[in-house]
Amino acid sequence: MLINPLATTEREDPRITRTRNLLIEALNELMGEKSFESITVSEIAERATLNRATFYAHFQDKFSLLEYSIRSLVRTQLHAELSADPGLTEMIEKMLRVVCGLLEGYEKHCPAPRGQMQALSEKQIKDEIYTLLLQRLETSKPNRPQQASVQQTAMVTSWAIYGAAFQWSQQSKRQPVAELVRQVLPLITANLQAYLPIKPEPLASPRRAAAGRAPSGLLSYNLRLHPQFL
Amino acid sequence: MLINPLATTEREDPRITRTRNLLIEALNELMGEKSFESITVSEIAERATLNRATFYAHFQDKFSLLEYSIRSLVRTQLHAELSADPGLTEMIEKMLRVVCGLLEGYEKHCPAPRGQMQALSEKQIKDEIYTLLLQRLETSKPNRPQQASVQQTAMVTSWAIYGAAFQWSQQSKRQPVAELVRQVLPLITANLQAYLPIKPEPLASPRRAAAGRAPSGLLSYNLRLHPQFL
DNA sequence: TTGTATAAACAACACTTGTAGTGTATGCTA
DNA sequence: TAGCATACACTACAAGTGTTGTTTATACAA
């Protein structure tokens, strides 16, 4: 597995990858110890055994670094989960599960306050979901004329997915993810009925709930990149 | 009109309201001139003809100030628009219009980059929408049993509303808001059919589109507080 | 192996941040 | 109007930020 799934250039100077990985690891370590807001660039550089100026040669600020780190985690997890190219309903279900796992991971391993971090990860996660959904909707034609554009549909859906996962993560006593899926999936897929094959999913289906997979194993991807999630 | 719709204490020291308004006005002025990220606390204090220490006596940092400023704007606009206590569908339509107006206002008057600002305003807007929606759903009982909780429904809906408005604001060539409403409202209300009265809104209704109000006047509230939106 | 390109180290810079202590001005109330 | 409470001004401070210029170390190709 590539340690840097975001790399676009063919091959980059090994010093660069080394430095970036050191910075990401340093940030991940620190985020297990204290809140993101209280972490300074100086600390990150020191922990990475790098000069502070070197940090700025790679990232604009600590937010850029976190963004980069989160993005690679999200992308890896989503692609791994969706590589089987499942049906639209299953796709959304899997997305919901992945996002729940990510939010749970952050809450478990990163000391509060998490305000800035949440806002940042939210954007990265939604962007990835939106892109994947858009690709999917663009390939499958709707079986009846649609008022809304594909972009609108994908956007509303991706936000709805994240909103559901967020609501779940905010619960004081968290319900099983399978239950969340059973309750919320109809809400979300109601938007997409024109894109669903043949017979649209009924709003309440006991068989769906029974078929829900256990949410284990969600956090097992990309371990080298994000060891704090263990 | 109260200049501070967020105030909870009965009457506060006039010096406090004066100082806060000076700070808010200073921030609003500066945000018309340069990006929020590049604005410093020193600048805000200087523009407000206040000592920097006084700033910190009122707000934790510039983010808190912006949060406070945005919150009061959002709250004022939403309450003004929804004071007539309209039907659920109309309520969502009005919310969509207000959010579009807000996003348009920010984009027009605040120089990029707007990353931090967007994340902050997003949270404030969604919180307000969620609260209002939750109140509304809690009072009106669904006409058939629901899988999802009221909280889940309100959350997914509020995120969907914001997502739609956001998608609209990101378009390079922006369509009329009335058209957005016609296209997207069915997507959102599909989730809420159990809460809609009698006959659920048909997915495509030409009469709805014709009844769409012009989007003018959305930015005319709370002028004293936010003169940069003129 | 040598030469070249460039990544990283290092030091120094002006600036911002958040906080603390002290004095002054102002609003409220008796 | 006198007195109390407190909001604000002022100063100072240690720490962090973002940038620049110079030197050293490393990767890679001839």
Side-chain angles (χ1 to χ4, degrees), chain A residues 19-229:
Chain A
T19 299
R20 294 211 174 138
N21 289 332
L22 281 174
L23 287 174
I24 289 179
E25 272 177 44
L27 176 62
N28 287 340
E29 271 184 44
L30 286 167
M31 283 189 30
E33 301 167 14
K34 54 198 296 197
S35 76
F36 176 70
E37 4 250 270
S38 68
I39 296 174
T40 68
V41 174
S42 309
E43 278 176 311
I44 300 172
E46 189 182 0
R47 183 71 65 107
T49 60
L50 290 170
N51 192 276
R52 194 166 58 85
T54 304
F55 176 99
Y56 286 106
H58 287 266
F59 298 97
Q60 207 178 358
D61 46 36
K62 66 172 179 173
F63 300 96
S64 300
L65 173 59
L66 180 62
E67 190 178 304
Y68 181 87
S69 168
I70 288 180
R71 194 82 179 206
S72 57
L73 176 63
V74 172
R75 187 167 292 188
T76 308
Q77 288 208 9
L78 278 176
H79 279 64
E81 196 71 17
L82 298 176
S83 56
D85 195 38
L88 187 54
T89 307
E90 267 173 294
M91 184 178 186
I92 293 174
E93 177 179 338
K94 280 172 190 280
M95 283 176 168
L96 199 52
R97 290 177 182 278
V98 168
V99 178
C100 285
L102 285 165
L103 295 186
E104 192 177 31
Y106 287 134
E107 191 156 333
K108 270 191 184 164
H109 293 87
C110 307
R114 272 181 294 275
Q116 300 178 332
M117 204 209 70
Q118 259 186 14
L120 223 152
S121 66
E122 181 184 315
K123 184 168 170 43
Q124 306 310 312
I125 294 174
K126 269 184 325 210
D127 276 7
E128 286 295 328
I129 293 182
Y130 171 76
T131 305
L132 291 173
L133 266 178
L134 187 62
Q135 283 174 7
R136 176 54 183 258
L137 291 182
E138 274 172 343
T139 56
S140 63
K141 286 288 162 222
N143 43 44
R144 46 179 156 137
Q146 284 297 291
Q147 297 285 319
S149 68
V150 208
Q151 287 81 13
Q152 285 171 335
T153 309
M155 186 68 84
V156 169
T157 307
S158 61
W159 282 64
I161 291 174
Y162 193 95
F166 178 74
Q167 205 273 339
W168 172 83
S169 77
Q170 296 288 93
Q171 288 175 333
S172 51
K173 197 170 165 11
R174 212 170 277 159
Q175 61 187 147
V177 181
E179 194 178 330
L180 172 78
V181 169
R182 182 179 57 80
Q183 291 185 337
V184 160
L185 203 56
L187 276 192
I188 300 172
T189 51
N191 295 332
L192 300 170
Q193 287 186 357
Y195 293 93
L196 293 175
I198 319 169
K199 197 180 186 66
E201 215 84 17
L203 277 184
S205 161
R207 282 185 299 116
R208 272 233 67 72
R213 269 192 7 202
S216 63
L218 266 185
L219 293 175
S220 58
Y221 303 102
N222 209 9
L223 300 187
R224 277 166 73 210
L225 194 50
H226 291 270
Q228 87 278 21
F229 280 173

Side-chain angles (χ1 to χ4, degrees), chain B residues 81-87 136:
Chain B
E81 196 71 18
L82 299 176
S83 56
D85 195 38
R136 175 53 181 258

